[in-house]
Every structure is written in C-alpha cells, then in structure tokens.
Amino acid sequence: MNAIRTTCAYCGVGCGISAVPTGERTVAITGDATHPANFGRLCSKGTHLGETVGLEGRLLHPMIGEERVDWDEALNLVAGRFAQTIRNHGPDSVAFYVSGQLLTEDYYVANKLMKGFIGSGNIDTNSRLCMSSAVAAHNRAFGEDVVPCSYADLEEADLILLVGSNTAWCHPVIWQRIEAAREARGAKLVVIDPRRTETAERADLHVALRPDGDVALFNGLLAAMRDRGGFDAAYIAQHVDMPEDFIASLAIDLPGIGIDAAAFDALADMVAATPRMVTLFSQGANQSSSGTDKGNAIINLHLATGRIGRAGMGPFSITGQPNAMGGREVGGLANMLAAHMGFSDAECAAAQDFWQSPTIARAPGLKAVDLFRAVHEGKVKALWIMATNPAVSMPDAGFVREALARCDFVVASEVIAETDSARFAHVRLPALGWGEKDGTVTNSERIVSRQRALLAAPGDVRADWDIVSDVARRMGFGAGFGYRRAADIFREYCAQTGFRNDGARMLDLSQWAGISDADYDGWAPWQWGGVSPFASGRFSTPDGRARIVAVDAPAAPAADPAFPFRLNTGRYRDQWHTMTRTGLSPKLSRHRREPLVEVHAHDAARLGLTEGSIARVATLQGESRYRVSLSDGQRPGELFVPIHWTDTLSSGGRTGRLPAPVTDPVSGQPAFKNTAASIEPFESDWRGFMVSAEPVAIAIDCYWTRARGEHGWLTELVGQGAIDIDALLPHGQRIEAQDGARGTIRVAVRDDDGRLRAALFLTRSGLLPSRDWILGQLGAPEGASGSELLAGRSADPAPDNGPTLCVCFDVGMFAITRAIREQSLTSVETVGAAIRAGTNCGSCRPAISRLIAQTAKEDACVNA
Ligand SMILES: Nc1nc2c(c(=O)[nH]1)N[C@H]1C(S)=C(S)[C@@H](COP(=O)(O)OP(=O)(O)OC[C@H]3O[C@@H](n4cnc5c(=O)[nH]c(N)nc54)[C@H](O)[C@@H]3O)O[C@H]1N2
Ligand SMILES: Nc1nc2c(c(=O)[nH]1)N[C@H]1C(S)=C(S)[C@@H](COP(=O)(O)OP(=O)(O)OC[C@H]3O[C@@H](n4cnc5c(=O)[nH]c(N)nc54)[C@H](O)[C@@H]3O)O[C@H]1N2
Ligand code: SF4
Ligand SMILES: [Mo]
C-alpha cells in the first residue's frame, strides 16, 4: 500500500507523518521526511500513534443516555432542544465548548452556527486554557494574533530563551531541532522555569525564578539593556509605539524575580551580547494571572532591542494542541468574531454579509471559566461539548462537574464512550478520530497541513463538521450549511479571510478560495504570513507600528498558613492530557505509571513524607492523592503534579480538582501553575499492586491508579484497614501464599488453560516484586510455575532493567546505567550505539544525558 501523508494527532509542532495502513485497524507510522515542521523526525507519542487507533473504548453509535439510537433521533433531539431553549430564553442561553483538537473545518462550522445563525458569542474553546494569553499579548502588541517566528529561527539563533516551557517533553521535535542547532552553531540555551526539568538540565543556564516572577524578570532585562545601551533607537523610531515614560520606569527587582544578582547578571550579559535571540514561551507564561503581561513583557524586550522580524530573532509563542492555531484563525475564541475579526460594527456587518446569515453576535461571549459559572447558575441551559474533557481539564473541576450535573441539556461529541465529561451528557455523538478524519490543521509556525483519513469510519461515526452542519440544517439554517465535503468548508473559510480585508489583516488565505477538490486532497504544507511575517517592520495596527505595552510585575500572593505551598501543574513526556488515547498505549504508559507529587527533600523531611509513600495534596478547591517523589529540582515550598489522571484511571490523581478558578484579567486564561496548597502524608498500613487481564473496579477507599500493560492492566494500591481480596480478584484457580510476620499476601488466579488472569501482591512491611515480569505473564500460554508467580519473578531472573526510559526499544534506566558503567560510555551517541536507546524518536535523549552525568558524579564520589 502507498503511504498516506498526514499530520500527528498530538502537539502543535505539527509533525508530518507518513502512514501505511497495515490492516483494518492498524497502521505503520514514520516521520514524513518532506514535511517542513519535522523533516522526518517524530517523538515517542507520534511514533506510537499506531497503538491508539484500535477500537477499544470507542463511542461508535449515537447515544441518548444509555440507549443506542440512530442519527435522526439523536440530532432531532439536539436541534430541537437547542432551538427550544433559544426560543424560550434567548440565544445567550446556549453555548458550545470546543477544542484545539478539532480540524479547522469543524471549528469554522461550529463558529459560524453559533455566531452567525444562533447569534450569540457563546462559543469558547479549551484554547482559552492554553493560548489565550499569548493571543491577547499578540493583539495588544501587533494589532493581530500573528506569531512572528518560524522554527527555522531557532536554528539561526545564537541564544534561545525558553520561558515556562518543558520543550524536551512537550514539543520534543522542536527540542530536537534546538539540540541539532546548538551542536551545529553553538547556540546558547537558557531555561526560565521554577523547576529543574529535563529541559532545564540540558541548558547552559537555568533561571529558577519564583512562580510568576517572569514580568519582573523581563522588565529587569529591559532595564539592564537600557543601562548597557542595548535599545535599538532607530528601530523604535521607525516601527514601535513606546509610552513616553517607559524607559525611565524600568528597574531591576531581584526579590520580585526570586533569583540572586549573579544569576541575573549572567543572563543579562548573555542577552546583551547576543542579538540573534529567540524567546520561546508556553504554559509557564500563559497559564498565569499575569499571563498576558508576561507575553507583552517578552515582546517588549524584542521590540525595544529590534530583535524581531529578522532571521534568528523574535518572541515565539508555541501552541499546545494540533490545531490550536486553526481555532484562533477561524475565530473559535469567544472574544473574537471570525477570521481574526473582532466585534466592531464594520466587522459584524462583514461577517453577516459574508455568511448571508439571519443574525450576528454583536459582543464577545463567555470565556471558559465564566461559561461554566453561567452553566452552574442556570443561565446557560444547553451546552454542547466537542473534543475536550472539561470535567478533568478545567480549574476547580469539581465545580465544573456540579455545573454539568445541573445543566438541563448537555451534548458531547466524542471519540471515546466513557470520559469523565461524557458521563454528564444527555446525548453522546460519535465523532471521527485521528486517522479517520479529513481536513486541515495549522501548527505553531502558521503552517497549514492536511490530516488525511487512513482508516474507514467505524460504526456510525461521522465527522465533527458533518454533525454540526446536520444540526444546523435541522434548526432551519439549511442554506448556510449544505457542505458535502471538508473542501467546501475550506474554500469558504479561505474566502472569508479575504472578505473586506483590504490588507487590514495578515491572515488572508483568499488565494485558496477557489481550490479544487483534487488540489485540496493533494495539498502540500503551506505557511501563511511567510517565514517572517514582520520582516517589513509593518504591523497590523492602524498606524502600522507595534506597541510596547508597559506592564507591572504582580504582587506576591498573600501567605496562607493553611495552604503554605505553591502548587504547579503540567505534563509528562509520554501522556497526552486526560489520557483518553495515550493511556491506551502500553509503551507510552511505561514512562510514568503513576501520578507523582514532586517535593523538595527538606519539605518532605519536615512533613514526614518519604520517597514512594502517598501524599494528600489539598487546596481550597479540593484534594487529590499522589505518589511522593523527592526532587531537588523542585524549589522548597513548591510542588509539581501532572495533569493527566482521571477518575477512570485513579482514585485520586485528578489534578483538575485543585487549581483555583483564578484567571488573567485580560485573556481570561486560568492560572493553573500557582495555587496555594498543602501536603501531608496519606495514612496507610498496606500497599501493593495487582495485575489483571481486565481492568478491575476498586470499590474500597484507598489510593489506586491503573496503567496499561501489553496484555492487561497494572493497578497500584495503597490503603488502610481491612481489604476484601475476593472483591478484587476474578474467578479462576487460585494459588496463595502468606507471610504473617510481614503481613504479606500473594495470590495468583489462572484460568482453566493455566493462563494467568490476575495476580495480587499486598504487604504491610515487606518488599514487593518488580511489576514488569508479572505483568508480562498475563495471557502467556506457557505459564510460569506457581512458585514463580507467587514470587513475582522468574526462577532464572534476568537483571532488573528498571523503569523504561526508551520506549521505542524498551530500554530501562538500570540497563542504561549498567551500559554506561560497564562500557565507559560518555555520550548519548555512544549509549545509542551500544544499546540502541535514544536512537529512534529521541524523546529519551535528555534523560540519558542526565544518567551519564549522574553516573559520573556517583562514580566520582565513590572514587574520592
Ligand atoms: N507530552 C505531552 N506533550 C504535550 C502535551 C501533553 O499533554 N503531553 N500537551 C500539549 C499542550 S495542549 C500544551 S499547551 C503544551 C504545553 O507545553 P509546556 O508549556 O511546555 O508544558 P507544561 O508542563 O504545562 O508547563 C511548562 C513549564 O512551565 C513551568 N512553570 C510553571 N510556573 C511558571 C512560571 O511562573 N514561570 C515560568 N517561567 N515557568 C513556569 C512549569 O514548571 C513547567 O515545567 O504541551 C503540548 N505537548
Ligand atoms: N491543572 C492544569 N489543567 C490544565 C492544564 C494545565 O497545565 N494544568 N493545561 C490546559 C491545557 S493547555 C489544555 S490544551 C487542556 C486540555 O484538556 P482537554 O481538552 O480536556 O484534554 P483532552 O484529553 O485532550 O481532551 C480531548 C477530548 O476529545 C476527544 N477527542 C479526540 N479527538 C477528537 C475528535 O476528533 N473529535 C471529537 N469530537 N473528540 C475528540 C478525546 O477522546 C478527549 O476526550 O487542559 C488544560 N488543563
Ligand atoms: S513533536 Fe511529537 S507529539 Fe508533537 S507533533 Fe511531533 S510527533 Fe506529534
Ligand atoms: Mo494546551
């Protein structure tokens, strides 16, 4: 079969993929060597996409409650309830909450229906939680939401500042391009992050600032540049609008930044000495109560020094989701109308004339946090959620669940049947997923690429744009929604970007308004705005000048003795958001099997928290439980937890419960990374784990988390008091061993063929076997002996390879350290040559590099 070119399902790097279907539900994935975003590279998540295209857990039919229905019945109900609610309570009583994981065509149709035909601004997207501060900063500075850089700038820079970005884990292919460029031209890398991440470990300088110290830091850098004569007076005079007292107002406030003078001076020296500088920023900047100001502080530094619009220079906001950019472009944020237009009278008229619509939204709608508040208050009575899981991913998610539970009518368009959010839906609509859907996405550098169908649509599923259009027709808006295929929508969207544009907006795709179906199908990646949109020095403001926006550092949060820690939340390398897809991959599940709370050793000692124990983390909003990981990469007084675990996968790691619904005053983006919190030991007297062929429902109150294995599931368990083993274990032939002194119980359950179906290991004070061997015995036809199963290891054990770092070649951490020691390996390359680790997707290369350094350090100590 011929390879089909498409783009990755996951992050905003937007890597091209070359996919070959190998069966009904299987595909072979490689990087597309011709795609300009990745030139053939892929990270661990992209590489293992093939493990997630099966039908496990899929929503395959429209459902009303628990009843399977046909499309007519489901869509008549949706259209009827929305129309009725609008008739009785007005257009603002309904809302859509959509996602950067929709295609541009899906997004365009949803936006058109809400803003042009229903006539409300109430469509917001999970990009509110992700990009909206960067959007607001761009609009303030440039007059339009235009990203000024391209990935090539990272390769042409001499200095790269990463602000609040764990690039090695979250944008791994950008990271690989940065690493290659550092090697090629010796570019210096600075990481600005309160935590020492794997990204920070690889930096020339790690600036471990205090949470939300960024505005103070960039204002301080501006002051330092002023003092060193680093402002570009000619550039400012020609292209920048700068407040009169801006220069004089700048000062260096070290306590506000939270670093010492030596660290600040080291950074200021690098910045002053290196004009070719790119500042790349993501969630450590955006997800903050000062997120928009952070964006503008960064942009201010680039404008004042003229470091923008030239090769290797610029402020570069990178996007999270595969189509965060496409959503911004069509106008999927509640505060934008369409195609980079706002709500002026002229823009409203332009959109309405273009759509030939009966009405038009005249004002911005509710932003995500306000939207769910309005649902909770009963003001929004019908809500349609598409391609996002707000019951997990919104701040104060407990409140969001209450809002969903109270809402008169909730619709969810999903690919997965049982998500934490879909459980609240009255109607579930099955949508095409990655590999089935067909349309366009825009990546972080404005490249529009195609996602193409590789697999036939399973069950009754339909494209998101098709579902929305059908509902629009049933609401009586037939004329506006007669699309037959995605290309029809793309042509219309391209035409809209040019309609009454007259050069006012850089987003202008009107050259593609007449593209043929065949050319759309053959579409090659194309970048709007060009490599450097501001090369001419002209910006999208009325006078063409960029704006320096004076911003003040936020005050430090008031101390709260009940919640003395600052809680930071973020991502793991191999999991994607709420794990509805990556959680299905055994390989991706290996890197981090449980949600950890990272805490500094001094704090842990003070509070009686030990490595591997369970802790309860609480905020004013709620509490969650995590496995403790001591980390000197964590600043004292600060905690880090991952965002991925849901109620489907754990009893307590659901982080969405914790963050306060505090938002940036300009963008409305939640401040996910800085919430007052407390931490304490979770009292327990037993711990253990279970492997099972089927996922097991855990009905007792304990800590549990579940991870995917090759042939089943691994469930970790920690709790107190009695435990009803019979309730946990499936039926079958049981063998058992007990050790009263240590309070250890070991049980294995086999089926009639002798295959292992489940095994349980619990102990009060003893040791537990390693998880991998016994997990590997599930479903094995030539079963291990009973005594081996109860021991949890083979009679002839292979060396323990430790937690998997390289998921591509399945190489564990201990195996890598052994190779480093035994073969005296000193570089990531030689490790790769010796044991292959790190030679495919490259996502584990930072971890290998860290192991080399750590091993050298340990050996030096031993030898000293
Ligand atoms: N593996 C993986 N990759 C992903 C995703 C995923 O779920 N998994 N999701 C994608 C999406 S949608 C997004 S938005 C991106 C996010 O990509 P990133 O923004 O890189 O990811 P995060 O882990 O959310 O946060 C980045 C860093 O911000 C730091 N930080 C916290 N507070 C501050 C602060 O006050 N100042 C500074 N300077 N830094 C701070 C955190 O310590 C953290 O290391 O990743 C995308 N890629
Ligand atoms: N505490 C904390 N919370 C956060 C963040 C943080 O850093 N800290 N980050 C925030 C950010 S940046 C983001 S982007 C959000 C992400 O949060 P969510 O958007 O809630 O996370 P996902 O798990 O990606 O949810 C996507 C859903 O859409 C479904 N889906 C996938 N493809 C399709 C499709 O083609 N069509 C349809 N209809 N459904 C589909 C998936 O099964 C899944 O249920 O989380 C935010 N929440
Ligand atoms: S960096 Fe990884 S997750 Fe992101 S688009 Fe590329 S392959 Fe996909
Ligand atoms: Mo995101």
Side-chain angles (χ1 to χ4, degrees), residues 475-489:
M475 290 175 76
F477 304 131
F481 296 87
Y483 310 111
R484 287 160 306 113
R485 61 195 311 271
D488 295 339
I489 305 167

Side-chain angles (χ1 to χ4, degrees), residues 210-216 253 255-257 288-290 293 551-559 566 674:
R210 73 169 180 81
D212 289 331
D214 306 79
V215 173
D253 165 22
I257 307 170
S288 160
S289 56
S290 56
D293 285 354
V551 289
D552 293 324
R566 305 309 302 178
N674 192 354

Side-chain angles (χ1 to χ4, degrees), residues 161-165 190-197 200 205-221 253-260 263-264 267 279 283-285 288 290 294 297-298 553-554 566 568 633-639 673-674:
L161 308 186
L162 302 180
V163 184
S165 166
V190 175
V191 172
I192 298 164
D193 191 316
R195 284 196 308 147
R196 198 175 67 238
T197 57
L205 178 66
H206 172 208
V207 179
L209 81 181
R210 73 169 180 81
D212 289 331
D214 306 79
V215 173
L217 175 66
F218 278 84
N219 281 348
L221 288 173
D253 165 22
L254 291 176
I257 307 170
I259 59 175
D260 60 25
F264 180 81
L267 174 59
T279 308
Q283 297 319 337
S288 160
S290 56
K294 289 185 188 187
I298 291 166
R566 305 309 302 178
N568 179 3
Q634 208 50 38
R635 286 162 49 109
E638 295 170 20
L639 307 171
K673 294 200 164 6
N674 192 354

Side-chain angles (χ1 to χ4, degrees), residues 770-846:
S770 115
R771 288 13 174 200
D772 292 284
W773 181 83
I774 187 86
L775 195 53
Q777 297 309 305
L778 281 174
E782 283 303 309
S785 74
S787 60
E788 286 178 314
L789 290 178
L790 292 178
R793 62 187 150 81
S794 152
D796 173 23
D800 183 3
N801 289 332
T804 310
L805 283 190
C806 170
V807 292
C808 293
F809 297 120
D810 210 352
V811 191
M813 184 167 103
F814 303 157
I816 298 174
T817 357
R818 269 199 306 275
I820 293 170
R821 286 223 165 83
E822 284 164 12
Q823 303 178 44
S824 306
L825 306 174
T826 54
S827 68
V828 176
E829 283 64 37
T830 50
V831 169
I835 52 172
R836 296 177 85 196
T839 55
N840 184 45
C841 81
S843 286
C844 62
R845 291 166 66 91

Side-chain angles (χ1 to χ4, degrees), residues 237-263:
Q238 271 195 307
H239 302 299
V240 182
D241 195 73
M242 184 165 72
E244 216 155 89
D245 53 355
F246 180 71
I247 296 188
S249 72
L250 297 165
I252 300 168
D253 165 22
L254 291 176
I257 307 170
I259 59 175
D260 60 25

Side-chain angles (χ1 to χ4, degrees), residues 14-25:
C15 295
I17 279 179
S18 169
V20 182
T22 50
E24 208 174 306
R25 295 299 306 181

